[in-house]
Amino acid sequence: QVQLLESGGGLVQAGGSLRLSCAASGRTFSRYSWGWFRQAPEKEREFVAGIRWIGSTTSYADSVKGRFVISRDNAKNTLYLQMNSLKPEDTAVYFCASTSPSMILSRLPSEYDYWGQGTQVTVSS
């Protein structure tokens, strides 16, 4: 059984930083691609960042490029999202998710088959 557990969310002032973690179990972590998504109230879930299973190629939404960094530690089965220069519009529930390995890193939530329960990030102005 695959389980994903996010942590690290919280309340931070604009301009601050947070690091989210996603501990994975039940799946060979290094053989899958992983992504971070977020969902604000009354908005659709959107892609934030992803990292491919091979070569650790990364991809970012334009809204976070240059501020967020996704990384993975295969030895610890853990995915990270370092969030810097946070803005109030970054406020959302953040989810980690897993997708099958492929040559293309998908940005579609429907392409991801396992999800964590989410962690709340609130950025105050």
Side-chain angles (χ1 to χ4, degrees), residues 4 6 22 33-37 79 95-99 112-116:
L4 306 179
E6 301 99 335
C22 173
S33 296
W34 300 84
W36 285 100
F37 292 78
L79 180 72
F95 301 88
C96 64
S98 174
T99 185
Y112 289 72
D113 51 0
Y114 289 100
W115 293 80

Side-chain angles (χ1 to χ4, degrees), residues 9-124:
L11 174 64
V12 63
Q13 288 187 335
S17 298
L18 283 174
R19 189 176 83 153
L20 305 183
S21 299
C22 173
S25 61
R27 170 165 279 191
T28 305
F29 187 82
S30 62
R31 295 182 183 176
Y32 291 85
S33 296
W34 300 84
W36 285 100
F37 292 78
R38 66 187 181 187
Q39 188 166 17
E42 300 182 359
K43 291 189 176 181
E44 292 188 354
R45 192 167 297 189
E46 64 174 358
F47 174 84
V48 174
I51 186 165
R52 278 185 63 208
W53 68 285
I54 188 169
S56 293
T57 305
T58 57
S59 177
Y60 297 93
D62 288 344
S63 59
V64 306
K65 198 173 294 183
R67 300 188 297 123
F68 290 11
V69 178
I70 186 172
S71 62
R72 61 193 296 167
D73 186 332
N74 290 337
K76 295 183 177 180
N77 288 354
T78 302
L79 180 72
Y80 301 100
L81 184 68
Q82 178 67 43
M83 305 186 295
N84 301 319
S85 302
L86 283 161
K87 304 175 181 180
E89 50 264 44
D90 294 319
T91 295
V93 177
Y94 284 71
F95 301 88
C96 64
S98 174
T99 185
S100 298
S102 72
M103 296 303 295
I104 299 174
L105 182 62
S106 176
R107 297 187 173 207
L108 297 175
S110 59
E111 296 292 325
Y112 289 72
D113 51 0
Y114 289 100
W115 293 80
Q117 84 290 345
T119 185
Q120 177 70 46
V121 172
T122 303
V123 184
S124 63

